[in-house]
Amino acid sequence: MMPTRDNGYTNIVMLVATVVGAISGTIIGLVLGRMLMGTFIGGGLGYAIGTLIYFLKVKEDINKHK
């Protein structure tokens, strides 16, 4: 399912979620003393959440056009 112009914000949601997750993971990692692990986990969780949001939006669009 490729992004289209009709998807709006979902075209960049995975990228933004990954960056936000990595930044928040870095901040948490600074507090806990494990910055690299926090960055990896934050980026991974951000990407997973972004992917979930993307596919839910695409699924909603597909159901709407039926």
Side-chain angles (χ1 to χ4, degrees), residues 14-39:
M14 285 190 283
L15 174 65
V16 171
T18 303
V19 170
V20 169
I23 291 171
S24 62
T26 302
I27 293 170
I28 292 170
L30 285 172
V31 172
L32 297 178
R34 297 179 185 224
M35 185 171 69
L36 189 60
M37 186 175 76
T39 304

Side-chain angles (χ1 to χ4, degrees), residues 8-19 46-47 49-55 57:
Y9 72 93
T10 56
N11 292 335
I12 60 168
V13 72
M14 285 190 283
L15 174 65
V16 171
T18 303
V19 170
Y47 182 75
I49 291 169
T51 304
L52 179 66
I53 292 170
Y54 175 78
F55 283 119
K57 175 66 175 165

